Every structure is written in C-alpha cells, then in structure tokens.
Amino acid sequence: MSAVIHPSTWTAAGVVGRAVGPVAAFLAMLLCAAAAHKFRDRARTAAAVSALAGIEARGAAVTALALVEAAAGLALLMAPTRAAGGWLAAALWGGYFLLLSRAYLAGRRDIDCGCGFGRAHARLGRTQLLRTGALALLAAAVAYRSDALDMPVEPARALAALLAGIALFVLYLAFDTLAGLGARPTGAHR
Amino acid sequence: MNFVIASEILLWIAVIALGLLCLALARQIGVLHERLAPAGALTLKQALKVGDPAPVLALTGLDGREVRIGGLREGRAQLLLFLSPNCPVCESLLPAIRSAQGAERDWLDVVLASDGEPQAHRQFVQAKGLTRFPYVLSEPLGRTFGVAKLPYAVLIDEQGRLAASGLVNTREHLESLFVAKEHRVGTLQDYLQQRDRVTASTGDGRG
C-alpha cells in the first residue's frame, strides 16, 4: 500500500506534507495568471498601484512587478526553488495586504484595488482583505513546510497534486467571478 | 499507479469539471446582469435638470435645528426623500432608507421632507423611529424640485448639483439614483437610451 494512505501519514505533519504540493501548484497558477493579467492591462495596474501606494507607477515598474510575480509562481512549481518562491509570494501578498488594509482603514473603499481578474472592480471590503491575507499565509506556509514533501515524488502523485492545484485554481476563478458580480465598471466613482 | 492514486486523480478531474461548470455559470450570471435593464426611479417632468445647481435653502427641521439644503456641504452629497405619513408606499420604503443611510454614510446625508401640520409628522417620526433623520416641512421645497407624487427622491451631489431624482417605490428605485450619479447619467431613461445607442453603434447584438 502506498504511503499516501498509510495510517502513519494520518498525522498533522502527514496532511501538511500532502497539501504542500497542491497548494504550491495552486499558488503558482494564481501568481502566473495575475502576472499575465497585470501585463495585459498595464494602465489599470498602474492606476491601482498609484491608488494604493500613492506613487506614480510607470509601464516599466508594472512590467517589473508582473515579472517578479511570474518568477515567484515559476519558483513555486519547482522543488529546489519552492521555498524561495513561497517566501517571495508571501512578501508580495503580505505587502499588498498592508496596502489594502491602509486604504480600507482610511475609508478609501471605492478605489480600484486590482483585486480581481474581471473588468469591473468591487468595492474594497473585508472579502478582499481576507482573501489577500489568506493567500499570504498560504504562501508562507508552503515556504515554511516545503521540505515536508517527500522527494522524489512518484509521477502519479505529482499528477494528482497538479490536478488538485488546477481544481483549486478553477474554484478560485469561480469565486472571483461571483465576487465581481454587481461590481461597477472600472473608472466609475461615486 | 495503485488504485487509490488512480481514483484520486479521477476525483480531482471531476472537481475540475465541476469548478469549470461553476465558473461558466458565474460568467453566465454576469452576462445576465449586463443584459437586464435596471429597475430605476421614474423621473417625472421637472423644472430642474440633472447637472443644474440645486437651490440652496436654509430650513428649520421638526426638532428646531437648521437644515441646509443644497450648496457645497464639505464634500458630502444629500438625498432628499419626500414622503407623507399617510402614504403606505413611503412607509414600506423606510427600511431601505435606513439601510442606505448606514451603507452610504461615508458620503451621503439623508433628509426627509414633507409638508402639512407638524403634529402629525412628529407622531409619524416617533412611531417609525425616524428621529435620527433631519425632517423638514416645506411646501416651497417640494415645489422647487417639482415633486408631484410620493415617495419622491432627489439626490444632490457633492458640488451642490442635481445628480438624479425620481419616483422611488422600491429599494431598487432608490439605489438606481446612486447608480445614476455614479455613472453620471441623469435618469434611467437616459441610461437605457445611451445603452441602446452604444449597442447599435458597436453592432453588439448579444441581447
């Protein structure tokens, strides 16, 4: 019987060990999709960076941000660089979480925070804060426990982990689409 | 590959398929959101047009405090709701008014307006728990904004200009005034005409 279902793996450490692969794959896909989204809509990203950080972001800065995000995603996919990718992703989402929290506490709820993949932007609320904070924690957890994954991984287990990551990513997209329903088109402000 | 891993792979494929189904349904709901015409406040023929500066009036509220209507008000918009104690639709709208005041308190002040004998209105205010709203009685105020039917709402923007107005029978009608202000269209009718023109010019025949 495989170690996957062996009772010795039914411990917290065993569960974490099994979750690292799928979660890392999910975060990697999310980061790569976010990077592609930023690259495709650089003007909106620049506006979001300006609104959140209070600095004027130019095209080169937006491209650099997208590249860093993509690098973190790719690093998460590969075992030797998974920890570094996880810490980089945690830093990116952690910084983003702080900027969102600052805007939220300052009452700037109508800004386009660039929180979703849709064309419209939802009002900045606790959902966006919780989501970003949870992603930062997940990335940090993956980085911290990246050694929990037994190496080398047999191909079938790697495939199952990848499929689990894809499933999480598709569910995240569905959640993102539902959260964006009723949001206002970008550029409209009260 | 053993049986357990094979079944796990199949399960994840099933979850992906279900996730894609959820995504497709969510997108379809989004398309329906765009296609459905909003339920908006019906704007009646009026003397003041959207974008015109609203008249600045200083009135006295039922509680004796001064209530300033229109003008520049420290970056805050103002919603005037014209109602009457003997109007059942006005009563049914009160919960929506309370929740709108709570949800939009960052940028909006709500003022209730009517005319007639103060005593009946005082009883109405007490009975319906409206003491936290400024409540003015002024016939000239209603005439100024061309109020002919109740409940009627007028939204004045942060610059003291008329942003939207209309007959509001439901929560959706009330919220349509905020959306009209947000999208910088005067009325629901303007919005629908604008949308039809855009659809015709772009040849987008999704409807």
Side-chain angles (χ1 to χ4, degrees), chain A residues 2 18 164 170 181 184 190, chain B residues 2 8 12 19-20 30 104 182:
Chain A
S2 157
R18 290 208 62 207
V170 170
L181 289 178
R184 71 203 60 178
R190 249 175 210 168
Chain B
N2 70 23
E8 190 184 339
W12 282 121
L20 287 172
E104 315 293 345
E182 191 176 303

Side-chain angles (χ1 to χ4, degrees), chain A residues 150-176:
Chain A
D150 296 332
M151 299 300 283
V153 179
E154 59 179 290
R157 257 187 91 178
L159 177 63
L162 184 66
L163 288 173
I166 294 172
L168 289 174
F169 180 61
V170 170
L171 290 172
Y172 179 90
L173 288 182
F175 166 76
D176 182 66

Side-chain angles (χ1 to χ4, degrees), chain B residues 22-102:
Chain B
C22 280
L23 185 61
L25 284 172
R27 283 175 184 252
Q28 197 57 35
I29 294 171
V31 171
L32 290 174
H33 257 266
E34 284 178 13
R35 282 187 194 172
L36 286 176
L42 179 67
T43 302
L44 305 173
K45 200 170 179 180
Q46 54 187 5
L48 270 177
K49 290 193 181 69
V50 167
D52 287 351
V56 180
L57 299 166
L59 304 170
T60 305
L62 269 185
D63 57 2
R65 291 186 201 165
E66 189 190 72
V67 180
R68 192 178 160 83
I69 306 291
L72 292 173
R73 302 175 53 263
E74 297 169 353
R76 293 183 67 77
Q78 196 171 39
L79 178 76
L80 308 179
L81 180 74
F82 292 88
L83 41 62
S84 165
N86 49 19
C87 155
V89 183
C90 304
E91 277 190 37
S92 68
L93 197 64
L94 292 176
I97 289 292
R98 288 193 195 95
S99 71
Q101 195 207 25

Side-chain angles (χ1 to χ4, degrees), chain A residues 57-162:
Chain A
R58 294 181 189 280
V62 171
T63 306
L65 181 64
L67 285 175
V68 170
E69 220 168 16
L74 291 174
L76 271 169
L77 278 179
M78 292 173 286
T81 54
R82 184 166 290 133
W87 288 125
L88 183 56
L92 283 170
W93 274 315
Y96 189 38
F97 175 77
L98 291 177
L99 290 174
L100 286 180
S101 303
R102 193 177 69 163
Y104 181 79
L105 292 174
R108 294 187 292 130
R109 316 266 164 95
D110 281 327
I111 57 168
D112 180 8
C113 59
C115 304
F117 288 115
R119 280 176 299 165
H121 75 268
R123 196 170 152 83
L124 176 59
R126 277 175 289 191
T127 308
Q128 284 83 7
L129 289 178
L130 282 174
R131 180 167 59 177
T132 313
L135 288 171
L137 287 177
L138 269 181
V142 166
Y144 184 65
R145 293 308 307 269
S146 60
D147 58 337
L149 206 58
D150 296 332
M151 299 300 283
V153 179
E154 59 179 290
R157 257 187 91 178
L159 177 63
L162 184 66

Side-chain angles (χ1 to χ4, degrees), chain B residues 3 10 37 47 66 68 71 73 79 88 93 100 105 107 110-111 114 129 151-152 159 163 174 180-182:
Chain B
F3 173 76
L10 284 175
E66 189 190 72
R68 192 178 160 83
R73 302 175 53 263
L79 178 76
L93 197 64
R105 64 179 175 277
W107 62 279
V110 178
V111 176
S114 191
Y152 196 86
Q159 283 76 44
L174 184 68
K181 174 177 177 292
E182 191 176 303

